[in-house]
Structure formats: C-alpha cells, structure tokens
Amino acid sequence: VSTQSTGSSGINAEYGISKICVTSQMAMSMNNSATLFYCIFMSVWVAYFLESWKRKQALLGHIWGVLKFDEADEQVRPTYTQNCDSWKYNPRTRRHEPYMTKRKRFSRFLTTFSLILVILACVLIFGIAVIVYDLAVYLALFNVSSMQKYARWFSSISAGIMSLTLIIIMSKYYGKFAVYMTDWENYKTQVEYENTLTIRRYVFEVFNFYSSLVYIGFFKGKFNGYPGNHPLVFGVKMEDCPPGGCISELATQMAIILAGKQFIFTFSQFVIPIIFSNKGSCWDRCRTKVEEVDQGSYKKKAVKSPWERDYVLAETRDVFCEYLEMIIQYGFCNNIL
C-alpha cells in the first residue's frame, strides 16, 4: 500500500505505509494506555514533592529562628554604601544614610532589562538556527539513497547535540552577566539583591532549556498547511514531524538535553575538583614520600600548619547553582508529564 506525501522540497512523492511503522511503534511505546497511570503517579509525586519542600523549609526556618524575619531590620550591603554618591536623612534612624536616586535606579534597571531582552532574542535566534540546521541536514541526507532510512534520526540527534551545546554556553555566560548587572544596579539589602538575581537566572534558564521542547511539542508541524497547499520558506516546505508524530523526536531531544546536562554538571562538580585537588598531593608523593627534618639525634616528620592545609582546599561555592539545578530537574520531570 502506498500514499502520496509532500516532501521537504514541496514535491509530491509516494511512500509505502510500512515505512511509518517504526516511528508509529516508537510513538506508541511512549504514548499508550499505560501513560494514564504514569501521569497519575507523576501528579501525586509533584504535589508530594512541593509539600515536602514547604515542610522542610518551615522546619529549617524554625530551627534557624528566621520565620519572623523582618526585612526592614536587615543591614545595608557594604557595596551599596560604597557605590552611592548621595546621602539622605532618615527620620526613622535620625541620621544620614547613603541613598540612590530613583532616576539613576530606573535608568540602570531599564538598561539591564533591555540587555536581557536582547539576550533572550539571541536564544530565540539560536533556536531558529538549530531548526534550519536540522532541516538542512535532513534534506542533504535524504537525497542520498543509502542514508534515507537514517536521515530523520541523524538530523534529530545532531540537532539535539547542537542545541545542548548552545544551551550550556548561553547558561554559563549569562550567569556571569546576571551577577554583574545585578551588582551594577546596586541593591540596598541582600534580600533584594538575591531575589532579583534569582528571578533573572530562573526566567532565563526556563527559556533557555525548555524553548526547544515547547517548539517540538506544540508548534512543530502545526503550520504546514495541507497537501497541495504547503507554505514554502525560501522554496522549501516548513519542518514537519515524522509520519508517526513528534513524540519520538520530543523524547530524543529531552533525553539528549537532560542526560547531557546532567553529565556535564556532574563532571564539572565532582570529577574536575578531584583531579585538581589531588594534583598537588600526587606531585608531592612523586617527589618525596616523606619529608624529614633533622632535629639532633632523631628525625621527625614535617607537619603542615592548619592554615597551610586550609590554603590548598577548594574555594567555597555558592549553593544557588545547586538549588537552580534542582529546579531545572524538577521542570524536566513536569515536561515528561
């Protein structure tokens, strides 16, 4: 049995119905009657996780004594005092305090907001570039008779790896940019500073990690018209889903991003510190096993002072990245649902 389909070049071509069996079977393996029970389980788990998180947060707040914390009593950040060029009398404290004018604060906020919009536009442009790359690779391999069977999968996997690379690069450099711009805005208290930085990082990471998944799940193949009236872009039909649907391609994209991101994060957080922390000790062991100091009639091992041992320890890291990683993983679980 055969039917007609409009190919990526906009030309009608016949293909056998049996050719869509593989993609249809893969779609059924991910979207079948058992999916209902999985969705119920995920819904219960998501609600349980959130409530457990709230309970843990309240418990730690009670132990640390910060449940009734008043932000008005928080101390002014030293950098705020250092970077303010004007002072204002505070009737509450009855003394002059450093002050930043509303005009200067608004201008800095507007500049930062505009730059963030530009960066988000760059992320969108990179996403479009990945789509064009996927389509170009698919068309190039589809014209090779020996690669027609693997053209769709090779283009999807390579586009997923390319998307992951761009995501990691943008996430790394935007993190530094967000810290720099938040410092430049010069917030008065540490709570205001951390809240602003958290919102900026979270909004960007959500847009950066999930935009490709949202496109494949909700928009890909939805604007291709109908047979005989396909909209063409530069003479080429818009990107379409495989005959069995986009569920298999969505699963491939999610697996590449989730597994690749977790591998890179684990390697950078655990493997690299172990390598650099043992580099000096391995060099010392190769140079000499035991360093001895002559003291009269006996020899004594040289013992390093506590500050010398503390000097070779790894630098203290902020736990913000750990919490952000947890939230991103939680979002992937919801995307799977």
Side-chain angles (χ1 to χ4, degrees), residues 106-148:
F106 179 76
S107 62
R108 292 190 178 188
F109 174 79
L110 185 61
T111 303
T112 304
F113 183 75
S114 302
L115 292 176
I116 291 176
L117 290 181
V118 172
I119 294 176
L120 293 179
C122 292
V123 175
L124 185 61
I125 292 174
F126 289 153
I128 296 175
V130 172
I131 296 173
V132 174
Y133 168 81
D134 185 11
L135 183 59
V137 172
Y138 173 73
L139 291 176
L141 295 179
F142 191 81
N143 293 328
V144 180
S145 58
S146 59
M147 295 294 295
Q148 288 185 359

Side-chain angles (χ1 to χ4, degrees), residues 72-289:
D73 299 332
E74 189 178 4
Q75 298 294 327
V76 179
R77 298 175 67 237
T79 53
Y80 177 82
T81 304
Q82 180 182 0
N83 297 326
C84 284
D85 53 0
S86 59
W87 294 76
K88 182 179 180 180
Y89 179 76
N90 189 348
R92 180 181 179 183
T93 59
R94 296 182 180 181
R95 61 182 181 181
H96 287 81
E97 296 180 353
Y99 174 73
M100 178 178 287
T101 60
K102 293 183 179 180
R103 181 178 180 180
K104 179 180 292 186
R105 182 176 296 278
F106 179 76
S107 62
R108 292 190 178 188
F109 174 79
L110 185 61
T111 303
T112 304
F113 183 75
S114 302
L115 292 176
I116 291 176
L117 290 181
V118 172
I119 294 176
L120 293 179
C122 292
V123 175
L124 185 61
I125 292 174
F126 289 153
I128 296 175
V130 172
I131 296 173
V132 174
Y133 168 81
D134 185 11
L135 183 59
V137 172
Y138 173 73
L139 291 176
L141 295 179
F142 191 81
N143 293 328
V144 180
S145 58
S146 59
M147 295 294 295
Q148 288 185 359
K149 184 178 180 181
Y150 310 101
R152 173 65 65 179
W153 298 112
F154 185 84
S155 63
S156 299
I157 294 175
S158 60
I161 296 175
M162 181 180 178
S163 178
L164 173 64
T165 304
L166 294 175
I167 286 173
I168 297 300
I169 294 175
M170 290 294 294
S171 179
K172 178 180 179 180
Y173 286 100
Y174 178 81
K176 298 179 180 179
F177 168 80
V179 172
Y180 175 78
M181 296 306 295
T182 308
D183 290 336
W184 181 64
E185 289 185 2
N186 195 25
Y187 287 93
K188 185 176 182 179
T189 62
Q190 189 66 23
V191 172
E192 294 177 349
Y193 176 86
E194 292 179 352
N195 290 341
T196 304
L197 181 61
T198 300
I199 293 174
R200 289 175 179 173
R201 289 291 304 274
Y202 176 73
V203 171
F204 175 80
E205 296 294 348
V206 167
F207 192 84
N208 191 30
F209 277 97
Y210 304 145
S211 56
S212 60
L213 303 179
V214 171
Y215 165 74
I216 296 175
F218 296 98
F219 298 103
K220 185 175 182 179
K222 301 298 189 297
F223 307 99
N224 289 340
Y226 52 88
N229 186 21
H230 291 283
L232 303 179
V233 179
F234 301 108
V236 179
K237 188 172 76 72
M238 296 180 63
E239 191 179 22
D240 200 358
C241 294
C246 286
I247 185 66
S248 58
E249 188 171 349
L250 177 63
T252 303
Q253 181 80 2
M254 184 178 296
I256 292 175
I257 295 178
L258 180 59
K261 178 183 69 65
Q262 191 63 34
F263 173 77
I264 295 174
F265 179 81
T266 303
F267 185 82
S268 61
Q269 297 297 323
F270 295 98
V271 178
I272 294 180
I274 292 175
I275 294 175
F276 280 92
S277 62
N278 293 331
K279 182 178 65 173
S281 59
C282 291
W283 172 255
D284 293 338
R285 287 196 298 267
C286 293
R287 187 177 55 183
T288 176
K289 294 183 177 180

Side-chain angles (χ1 to χ4, degrees), residues 33-49:
S33 56
T35 308
L36 175 62
F37 300 97
Y38 176 75
C39 292
I40 295 175
F41 168 76
M42 288 297 299
S43 301
V44 174
W45 178 83
V46 166
Y48 175 77
F49 181 83

